[in-house]
Amino acid sequence: MKCRICGREAQPFMSFGRMPIANGFVTPGQFKDEYFFELAPVFCEGCSGFQILEQPAAQLMFHENYAFFSRTSRRMAAHFADFARWLRGRVEGAGASDPFVVELGSNDGIMLEHFAKAGIRHLGVEPSANVAAEARRHGVDCVTEFFTPALAGRIAAERGRADAISAANVMCHIPDLHDIARAADRLLGPRGILVFEEPYLGDMIAKTSYDQIYDEHVYVFSALSVSNLFERHGFELIDALPQSTHGGSMRYVLARKGAHAKAPAVAEVVARERAQGLHLPETYAGFRRNCERSKEQLLKLLRDLKAQGRRVAGYGATSKSTTVINYCGIDPSLIEFISDTTPIKQGKFTPGAHIPVKPYEAFCAQPPDYALLFAWNHSQEIFDKEKDFSDNGGKWIVYVPDVSVIG
Ligand code: TYD
């Protein structure tokens, strides 16, 4: 097996076993045709890249019924309003008079709507038709296509070079990042910036948040790996800004070599990554042991609660939960149902384990004794919202950074 970034031979350091499509919520009629693949991450010593080598075909994950809508959390909406403000400041600060901003994977328009409202030239590139339609309802101009060098050339010819290409939680989904770098090269103006933020490898290793690893996430990035990749295409990392979203993310800012000054944060983040050992294989052997321990502890807790006759329900049918549920072997005998506010997931069953997904109202109507917090990245928002659940004796089970019971 070869690393997608540098071509070096790379071997998986662990396997999470057979996994279904993380956002592939199913009806009983679809159980027998469910697609499975082996989820086995790889660390590449050549470029410090962290990736999965076997990934289902893109059409199995991103299609007209894609189940992930960005507008599921108030905090994320606020985050993307901030992101838009920050990006606008950055672009205008670089001297663009009539800026043009392109977002890859613009989803339901949660970020670009701020550019649309301000009358700033923008374009969303979003391959999943259902979420793109929602973006259009918010006034966002978008094309329903994958971002390729050919599309980048067309956009540049029709609308001019972009001042910024942005992406959030998208780059880690794209296997061929060399193609993305070539496309960015075609579309960006000479002083244009490429900005993306993604779940951060440093946080995942520190918190054993292995649920960031699932079919859609081909990569979990670090500043080291992002630099190694884009330097091959004439870009350099000019800034790195940690974010609290998705349980710990990093915003990377890249530009053509020499076009902008490098912020001191770049050297600081890289030094921290080296101190954490993100470039060393032994770090990933330790991560594997931590994953195994987390699995044992979570299963033991759920089995003990079942033996005591306690009712447990999941909170948030996240993509991430698919890895936890299937790796740990959690089934409907351990978790009655999972509540989720996303209509397209409700009434269906979770991928692989087939735990029923119910609307939030089911959680309120029959509060369980314990709620297993799969949407742990929204814990503050959820704990605030669910004060009544806690006040009435409900307890939370969390597994990041450690398996524990709260309440
Ligand atoms: P998200 O955090 O984006 O996780 P992932 O990227 O792993 O899918 O998704 C959050 C999920 O949790 C989404 O399906 C909506 C659901 N959710 C609730 O049901 N209630 C809530 O209060 C929140 C914040 C999220």
Side-chain angles (χ1 to χ4, degrees), residues 23 25 67-70 72-76 211-212 214 216-217 246 315-321 339-342 345 358 360 374-379 381-382 385-386:
N23 266 310
F25 295 87
F68 183 85
F69 282 73
S70 296
T72 50
S73 144
R74 291 220 316 273
R75 188 166 153 251
M76 288 310 280
D211 54 356
Q212 286 298 356
Y214 55 89
E216 294 179 23
H217 289 181
H246 286 289
Y315 198 104
T318 56
S319 331
K320 295 186 288 294
S321 69
S339 94
D340 197 285
T341 51
T342 316
K345 298 180 184 178
K358 297 194 174 172
Y360 174 58
F374 288 122
W376 58 267
N377 46 314
H378 303 287
S379 57
E381 177 173 341
I382 292 171
K385 193 162 71 182
E386 300 300 347

Side-chain angles (χ1 to χ4, degrees), residues 144-193:
T144 314
E145 280 182 67
F146 285 100
F147 188 61
T148 60
L151 177 64
R154 246 170 39 230
I155 298 171
E158 287 167 13
R159 305 180 184 229
R161 295 287 190 112
D163 297 286
I165 299 175
S166 87
N169 311 307
V170 167
M171 288 295 196
C172 69
H173 294 70
I174 303 175
D176 190 354
L177 288 175
H178 292 301
D179 217 38
I180 295 294
R182 283 189 285 271
D185 188 32
R186 281 201 188 175
L187 181 54
L188 275 181
R191 282 181 46 80
I193 52 171

Side-chain angles (χ1 to χ4, degrees), residues 201-220:
L201 185 64
D203 284 298
M204 186 184 86
I205 297 296
K207 299 175 190 168
T208 317
S209 44
Y210 65 87
D211 54 356
Q212 286 298 356
I213 305 167
Y214 55 89
D215 55 3
E216 294 179 23
H217 289 181
V218 198
Y219 302 99
V220 185

Side-chain angles (χ1 to χ4, degrees), residues 3-17:
C3 167
R4 288 188 183 85
I5 302 303
C6 69
R8 187 166 159 152
E9 201 62 36
Q11 290 305 318
F13 60 87
M14 71 178 293
S15 172
F16 290 100

Side-chain angles (χ1 to χ4, degrees), residues 19-53:
M19 282 290 154
I21 302 292
N23 266 310
F25 295 87
V26 280
T27 57
Q30 295 169 322
F31 287 178
K32 64 178 190 337
D33 297 323
E34 216 174 344
Y35 179 90
F36 287 89
F37 70 104
E38 193 191 350
L39 184 65
V42 165
F43 168 70
C44 174
E45 283 184 65
C47 62
S48 294
F50 185 104
Q51 62 197 293
I52 56 170
L53 289 184

